[in-house]
Amino acid sequence: MPDSYLPKDFLWGFATASYQIEGAPAEDGRGDSIWDTFCRIPGKIAGGESGDVACDSYHRTGEDIALLKQLGAKSYRFSLSWSRIIPLGGRNDPVNQKGIDHYVKFAKDLRAAGIEPMITLFHWDLPEGLDKRYGGLLNKEEFVKDFENYARVCFKAFGSTVKLWITFNEPWCSSILGYSTGLFAPGRTSDRSKSKDGDSSREPWIVGHNFLLAHGAAVKAYRDDFKKQDGGQIGITLNGDWTEPWDPEDPKDREACDRKIEFSICWFGDPIYFGKYPDSMRKQLGDRLPEFTPEEAALVQGSNDFYGMNHYCANYIKHKDTEPELDDFAGNLEMLMQNKKGEWIGPETQSVWLRPMPLGFRKLIKWLSDRYGGPTFYVTENGTSLKGENELPLEELLNDEFRVEYFRGYVGALADAHALDGVDVRGYSAWSLMDNFEWAEGYTTRFGVTYVDYKGGQKRHPKKSAREISKIFDQYIKKD
Ligand code: NCW
């Protein structure tokens, strides 16, 4: 037993998301989501791919559960496709019983297999109908009501079968990548207008605000009408990287490190824990960052039963002395992979944004725990890709020692955060159970502990990491 440890009933398992694994886009009454439409735009997705087939998980629920069991998972985090449940998305649109039945059976089957289901209500695949009808995430009045309605339909359908709910996955990604850089659906960019008269540099902040209100409304609905009888917990999942100063001697770089975390994580975390946006964001963005009315602030503040943490990597941060650009979303700084001395933050991976640094995980969860008064954490995603993994011969690809090392490093860092720093962490989901549709990167990036043979009938082949991960947790989880 190492010095550090994780609590006895620690829930570890794997995570996926509906559009990334399911396929079956037109089956059993499913409506389009903004990702179906986005994938049809030439040039948006590597290789012109889409989630039309993906891992075919919609048809392989039994196989996926058997795989989870085989790997020893105690929990499985998956997301619901809103447009399978309400094909057009809105509160006055028909509910699709077939969609509900599919997921309820899946959750019950997981439970029967001894695996705790953890449901994400929204992992980026907004019903296309809502985007078309009223501008989707940009429309506060409509979106908040429609999300609350969708959440209520789900809470009612799953009852006590599901005890861990996540409203939104990584709202930063949907807001910034969907409404500023345009890398993700619906692909809106802030360079449509660099002028001060333009509205486009406001859009990501409006979308972020609407996510927070919709989260608050869904949590209130759960607490008012479901939590008591179903006995579950509900939270949001936020992504964010650790930051190290480019020049540790420079106080401005050190300040910029915190500012970067504020712009990515505290943008959502501060309203949820404090009822307001970080001062650094207000200072830079002025009135482009929406204001909370007192009612809105009250709805959002205190709306997390737990903090869902997605974490992958770290960056070096160098401050900028120039005025921030109108479309800057990071806090007027540079994100770098090398520091002043030319040292790399971590090894290269297939994803340009991902360089692992396990100690950064420990530092970040402690930083967040301190800032937010010691909340309960569930790590809802953590994992890696390997540069060139997709090109390797199968045998080598299955021998993913680098991923085993990644999990050893990160799980060890988490155990340190728990045992040595006093962080209250109850669960961990590795990203991902299997290789899947990696959004704009298509199928070129493989995050799975299980290889999916896309050309060979979606057959699953567990990699070495799939077998090792249970041993890693076994080593750290306290026995009595
Ligand atoms: S793309 C992304 N991911 C991966 C994805 O598969 C999963 O669905 C997400 O929850 C793995 O974990 C998350 N995150 C986006 C990374 C940010 C890219 C930064 C671009 C710079 C502007």
Side-chain angles (χ1 to χ4, degrees):
M1 184 96 185
D3 291 344
S4 293
Y5 62 91
L6 291 165
K8 195 171 109 229
D9 42 5
F10 193 78
L11 273 183
W12 73 269
F14 300 92
T16 59
S18 49
Y19 191 70
Q20 295 184 269
I21 63 163
E22 286 180 352
E27 214 145 320
D28 290 342
R30 177 186 181 275
D32 267 356
S33 82
I34 55 172
W35 272 93
D36 294 281
T37 349
F38 190 65
C39 290
R40 289 181 204 129
I41 306 171
K44 294 295 184 192
I45 312 294
E49 296 286 358
S50 74
D52 277 358
V53 181
C55 310
D56 192 34
S57 280
Y58 190 74
H59 299 122
R60 294 168 194 248
T61 49
E63 202 181 317
D64 287 352
I65 293 174
L67 176 63
L68 285 158
K69 245 197 125 151
Q70 184 195 331
L71 306 189
K74 309 243 175 293
S75 65
Y76 182 47
R77 172 179 179 239
F78 61 101
S79 82
L80 307 180
S81 153
W82 183 343
S83 61
R84 284 194 197 280
I85 291 174
I86 307 174
L88 293 172
R91 58 199 181 280
N92 298 314
D93 296 321
V95 171
N96 178 27
Q97 194 57 42
K98 280 192 179 162
I100 295 181
D101 292 348
H102 170 84
Y103 287 122
V104 170
K105 178 175 185 322
F106 185 62
K108 286 192 169 150
D109 290 352
L110 279 169
R111 214 171 248 307
I115 299 163
E116 184 75 35
M118 182 184 233
I119 287 188
T120 310
L121 288 167
F122 181 96
H123 198 124
W124 307 351
D125 44 357
L126 181 81
E128 171 66 22
L130 302 185
D131 204 49
K132 264 211 199 93
R133 195 180 299 162
Y134 57 67
L137 301 167
L138 285 165
N139 189 324
K140 175 161 99 175
E141 302 304 324
E142 298 293 331
F143 174 67
V144 173
K145 287 190 191 128
D146 282 344
F147 183 74
E148 182 191 329
N149 171 70
Y150 160 60
R152 282 182 177 276
V153 167
C154 298
F155 299 148
K156 185 160 174 244
F158 288 90
S160 60
T161 305
V162 171
K163 301 211 184 283
L164 291 167
W165 290 97
I166 289 157
T167 52
F168 293 104
N169 179 71
E170 302 192 349
W172 182 93
C173 287
S174 296
S175 310
I176 297 298
L177 307 179
Y179 290 82
S180 182
T181 68
L183 281 172
F184 280 10
R188 294 175 71 83
T189 55
S190 51
D191 38 278
R192 279 172 292 122
S193 161
K194 291 253 183 192
S195 84
K196 295 239 186 258
D197 319 322
D199 223 19
S200 57
S201 63
R202 292 177 186 266
E203 285 188 1
W205 315 112
I206 293 170
V207 168
H209 196 72
N210 297 345
F211 273 128
L212 283 161
L213 299 178
H215 163 78
V219 171
K220 183 173 183 328
Y222 190 66
R223 289 178 178 166
D224 285 353
D225 297 331
F226 301 93
K227 192 175 160 85
K228 218 173 175 180
Q229 73 261 26
D230 297 338
Q233 309 276 315
I234 185 162
I236 195 169
T237 279
L238 305 178
N239 59 304
D241 309 333
W242 177 242
T243 53
E244 290 283 337
W246 180 77
D247 176 0
E249 307 295 317
D250 187 340
K252 285 188 175 172
D253 283 356
R254 294 203 302 269
E255 251 173 63
C257 281
D258 281 354
R259 197 162 66 247
K260 168 68 175 49
I261 299 177
E262 286 165 4
F263 266 74
S264 46
I265 305 179
C266 309
W267 173 12
F268 301 98
D270 279 15
I272 289 173
Y273 290 96
F274 306 143
K276 67 189 269 296
Y277 288 117
D279 293 342
S280 57
M281 292 185 75
R282 178 65 66 202
K283 187 163 169 238
Q284 182 178 318
L285 301 169
D287 72 356
R288 288 188 292 124
L289 185 67
E291 293 275 0
F292 288 103
T293 64
E295 295 75 32
E296 288 177 353
L299 179 72
V300 174
Q301 187 173 6
S303 59
N304 249 3
D305 293 337
F306 62 84
Y307 182 114
M309 179 181 183
N310 283 5
H311 180 73
Y312 289 88
C313 58
N315 283 300
Y316 286 117
I317 302 296
K318 190 176 182 189
H319 77 279
K320 280 187 192 164
D321 282 321
T322 48
E323 277 293 298
E325 297 285 331
L326 197 62
D327 61 355
D328 174 76
F329 54 75
N332 202 31
L333 44 88
E334 273 182 85
M335 283 174 270
L336 299 163
M337 300 289 182
Q338 280 177 291
N339 64 9
K340 196 178 177 187
K341 289 192 197 148
E343 293 159 342
W344 293 94
I345 194 96
E348 216 178 353
T349 70
Q350 178 66 29
S351 308
V352 286
W353 52 271
L354 198 169
R355 278 187 182 249
M357 183 200 172
L359 185 57
F361 186 27
R362 175 175 171 190
K363 289 186 185 175
L364 180 60
I365 198 166
K366 171 79 166 65
W367 192 100
L368 292 169
S369 182
D370 288 347
R371 187 171 180 107
Y372 296 134
T376 293
F377 286 89
Y378 282 87
V379 175
T380 42
E381 283 179 33
N382 176 240
T384 192
S385 60
L386 175 73
K387 191 156 180 63
E389 189 176 2
N390 202 26
E391 276 79 54
L392 294 175
L394 183 60
E395 204 179 311
E396 267 177 63
L397 205 150
L398 295 181
N399 191 20
D400 60 342
E401 192 52 45
F402 72 95
R403 191 173 277 108
V404 176
E405 278 309 308
Y406 180 97
F407 288 129
R408 268 190 203 125
Y410 275 82
V411 175
L414 187 63
D416 288 347
H418 169 72
L420 309 179
D421 305 336
V423 171
D424 175 13
V425 59
R426 314 263 175 104
Y428 173 103
S429 306
W431 185 271
S432 178
L433 174 63
M434 58 195 146
D435 297 334
N436 56 50
F437 175 72
E438 183 51 25
W439 309 108
E441 293 172 36
Y443 295 96
T444 57
T445 304
R446 293 179 175 271
F447 267 97
V449 299
T450 305
Y451 173 82
V452 176
D453 187 352
Y454 298 116
K455 297 196 183 102
Q458 271 57 29
K459 192 169 167 10
R460 283 96 161 110
H461 302 260
K463 303 177 191 174
K464 183 172 183 189
S465 57
R467 293 187 300 275
E468 291 298 315
I469 198 162
S470 65
K471 296 185 203 155
I472 299 173
F473 278 103
D474 219 40
Q475 223 191 328
Y476 283 105
I477 296 174
K478 221 177 177 166
K479 300 288 177 299
D480 43 61

